[in-house]
């Protein structure tokens, strides 16, 4: 089936690192994305990784990709209260217009 | 550099009325997607359109729902004879290409049916 899985909740203390995990479905997916949704807003593209990469770093964000296990993770260093949001991973099935979104992980940052 | 613009932000309709949701994609983007999000849930794909064509409407109910993306003007998602179960946030996204292009989302229209 086409299910991208994420854990529903994550709670961390301000200043700690957050790691949000995602298991995707299609081994041929070329691009994998992370989006952030704040309350009352749309999805904001955070970062993405091409499938021939293992890791991508962008300031406080690190994306790790394990193609063998079809596992994607997003690490947020020095997590701040402003990082509290829902994080969605998404895969673009290779050569198609189909984007499959995970159920979202609600990150709560405790001051 | 305007992103995806959706209006209205909030829409209240009584049961049986029609709801029209508008989406202007990022300038230069000719691919539009509509998604529905229920409270505390993820995104559910509804329809994918290119200019003047519906490519995939497999996620959209066959009755009461329709979508268009005309040559000129915004994409429209139309819901006829709304029911309480249609209450949700409706998001539009656009992309530059059909694939290998990230989706850019609008801030959504929150439809409430009373």
């Amino acid at each position: 089936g086409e299910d991208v899985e994420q854990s529903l909740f994550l709670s961390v203390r301000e200043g700690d690192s957050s790691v949000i995990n995602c298991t995707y479905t299609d081994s041929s997916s070329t691009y994998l994305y992370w989006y952030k949704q704040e309350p009352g807003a749309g999805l904001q593209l955070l970062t993405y990784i091409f499938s021939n990469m293992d890791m991508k770093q962008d300031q406080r964000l690190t994306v790790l990709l394990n193609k063998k296990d079809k596992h994607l993770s997003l690490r947020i260093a020095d997590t701040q209260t402003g990082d509290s949001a829902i994080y969605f991973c998404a895969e673009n099935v290779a050569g198609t217009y189909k984007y499959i979104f995970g159920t979202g992980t609600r990150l709560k940052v405790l001051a | 550099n305007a992103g995806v613009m959706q209006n209205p932000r909030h829409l209240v309709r009584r049961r049986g009325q029609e709801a029209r949701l508008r989406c202007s994609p990022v300038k230069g983007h000719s691919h539009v997607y509509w998604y529905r999000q229920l409270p505390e849930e993820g995104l559910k794909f509804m329809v994918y359109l290119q200019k003047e064509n519906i490519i995939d409407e497999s996620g959209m109910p066959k009755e009461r729902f329709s979508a268009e993306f005309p040559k000129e003007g915004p994409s429209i998602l139309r819901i006829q004879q709304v029911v309480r179960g249609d209450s949700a946030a409706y998001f539009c996204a656009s992309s530059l290409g059909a694939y290998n292009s990230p989706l850019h989302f609008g801030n959504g229209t929150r439809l409430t049916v009373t």
Side-chain angles (χ1 to χ4, degrees):
Chain A
E2 292 185 338
D3 276 336
V4 175
E5 295 185 353
Q6 299 180 238
S7 51
L8 289 180
F9 298 100
L10 177 65
S11 182
V12 300
R13 293 205 175 279
E14 193 174 18
D16 288 350
S17 292
S18 308
V19 179
I20 302 170
N21 294 303
C22 169
T23 304
Y24 61 97
T25 61
D26 195 314
S27 56
S28 66
S29 288
T30 48
Y31 281 93
L32 297 131
Y33 301 90
W34 282 104
Y35 286 86
K36 175 185 181 183
Q37 185 182 32
E38 297 185 61
L43 275 69
Q44 172 197 352
L45 178 66
L46 280 181
T47 187
Y48 59 92
I49 189 167
F50 187 53
S51 57
N52 69 352
M53 299 168 67
D54 297 324
M55 184 181 91
K56 180 179 179 182
Q57 188 151 4
D58 184 359
Q59 300 182 329
R60 291 191 299 124
L61 304 178
T62 303
V63 179
L64 294 178
L65 176 60
N66 181 330
K67 279 198 76 173
K68 178 175 164 289
D69 295 336
K70 289 187 272 188
H71 184 262
L72 182 73
S73 68
L74 175 69
R75 178 176 179 269
I76 306 172
D78 187 25
T79 313
Q80 304 296 308
T81 54
D83 295 325
S84 292
I86 303 174
Y87 290 81
F88 291 92
C89 68
E91 59 175 327
N92 177 205
V93 179
T96 79
Y97 57 84
K98 289 183 188 288
Y99 292 80
I100 304 170
F101 284 82
T103 50
T105 298
R106 189 177 294 272
L107 173 65
K108 185 174 181 180
V109 182
L110 306 170
Chain B
N1 207 9
V4 176
M5 304 299 291
Q6 288 189 251
N7 66 82
R9 287 296 308 274
H10 300 275
L11 182 61
V12 180
R13 285 287 177 265
R14 290 201 191 93
R15 276 182 297 170
Q17 290 185 319
E18 178 180 287
R20 273 182 182 247
L21 288 61
R22 291 175 203 80
C23 168
S24 295
V26 172
K27 191 175 180 182
H29 286 191
S30 57
H31 302 262
V32 165
Y33 299 72
W34 284 93
Y35 289 85
R36 177 161 69 176
Q37 186 179 38
L38 293 170
E40 308 299 316
E41 292 190 14
L43 293 172
K44 182 177 181 294
F45 167 78
M46 297 182 74
V47 61
Y48 164 59
L49 311 102
Q50 294 178 17
K51 276 288 185 183
E52 300 185 87
N53 291 305
I54 297 174
I55 306 301
D56 182 352
E57 54 183 349
S58 60
M60 201 160 64
K62 291 194 176 356
E63 295 178 0
R64 303 188 300 107
F65 285 73
S66 62
E68 61 177 22
F69 187 17
K71 189 176 177 182
E72 303 289 339
S75 175
I76 305 285
L77 179 67
R78 184 174 172 222
I79 311 172
Q80 295 178 289
Q81 298 174 306
V82 295
V83 300
R84 287 226 173 98
D86 297 332
S87 295
Y90 292 83
F91 290 98
C92 170
S94 72
S95 66
L96 186 60
Y99 51 88
N100 293 347
S101 295
L103 299 184
H104 297 262
F105 282 83
N107 282 327
T109 293
R110 276 145 190 85
L111 172 65
T112 303
V113 179
T114 60

